[in-house]
Structures are given as structure tokens and as C-alpha cells.
Amino acid sequence: MKHNLRLGFPWVKIRQGYGLTESCGATAFFISDEQVKTHPAFCARLVPTFGAEIVDYETGSAFPPGRKGELWLRSPPIMKGHLGNEAATAATFDPDGWLKTDDIVEDEEAGQIPLAYVVRTPGSELTEEQVIQFVAIQVTPYKKVRRVGFISAIPKSAAGKILRKELVSHSQQVIWKL
């Protein structure tokens, strides 16, 4: 049975958007349902008070519009740092206060394509197909894993946050099964 939230709250408009735990919720959202249909990988307008830059994730230099890179955000609602962990705070923010989101992977047609990085236990013979099938029976179709990379360890920051840009760099060295 499909639940319709609008029945209980007819004045509420539900919109697709983008946000992070570090940003205390949404940072961008679609204005209309038409935007979602015509631009499914686009997160539309920034919430007031938010600034965003697309930067070269290796140098931190801002790119002009239309270039692909890492998304950085700045706004008063964004967390100020990691409590008691200056190293993690320094790794998460640039000197001007921009939050380094680590968000960079995009597919031209569908936005982001789900993939898995797996650390096998010693002696394991786990295959890519086994991982794909395991995930497929537990998630909705758009969340199904389409690629699997086996690595020795998941790279993490001093705060324990997964370093996705390092995984992206690693993915370019892995031969993927499409």
C-alpha cells in the first residue's frame, strides 16, 4: 500500500533536495516537480544563506561554472567543527570556512550510480556478483549496486568520515564491470 503524506498534510509540498548532516539539513532544493523531471541529477536552488563552490579537489581552487569538481559549502547553519578534534576540523574545512563535502561522483545520464567498495576478510572468495545480488534483494531498484571494487581498507578522515574523493581516485584504477 502506497502511503500519501499529502492526505494528512495537504498544505505541505514535498520537494527533492540536497543536504548533509554537517549542514544541519537541506542546502538546496527543487522549486517545482517539473525541475525534478527535466533535471534529475540537479539540486536546483541553494537555501538562503548558503554559498557553494565547485573546486578542484586536489588544489582547492574554485572552478568556473560548468566544470566538474568537489562541492564546498559555507553558511551559518553549517557545523563549526569536530568537538575536541582539531585535526578532523582542519581536514573538513578550508581556512576560509568552506565545508569540504567530498561530493564529486556524477554519471552523465542518471546522476550518481551506486557502487560498493568492499574490504574482504583474509581468505574470502567473495565475488562482485555475490555483492551485487546481496544488495539487490534489500534495496529499491535505483539503489542497486552496479559496480563493486575490492580494496584493502576504506579511507577515512581523522573524524572517521569516509574520504569519498580518495575512493573516486581509486575507482579510476579499478576495472569495473558494468
Side-chain angles (χ1 to χ4, degrees), residues 5-35:
L5 220 125
R6 302 246 332 152
L7 293 175
F9 304 95
W11 62 90
V12 173
K13 292 200 182 248
I14 298 173
R15 297 282 180 239
Q16 181 175 337
Y18 171 84
L20 304 149
T21 302
E22 294 89 346
S23 68
C24 301
T27 62
F29 63 95
F30 282 106
I31 301 297
S32 70
D33 291 335
E34 190 58 35
Q35 284 182 318

Side-chain angles (χ1 to χ4, degrees), residues 32 34 39 65 96 100 109 117 120 125 144 157 169 173:
S32 70
E34 190 58 35
H39 298 91
D96 294 324
K100 303 173 187 177
E109 188 175 322
Y117 288 97
R120 288 187 247 197
E125 294 183 16
K144 288 182 179 179
S157 71
S169 296
Q173 301 167 13

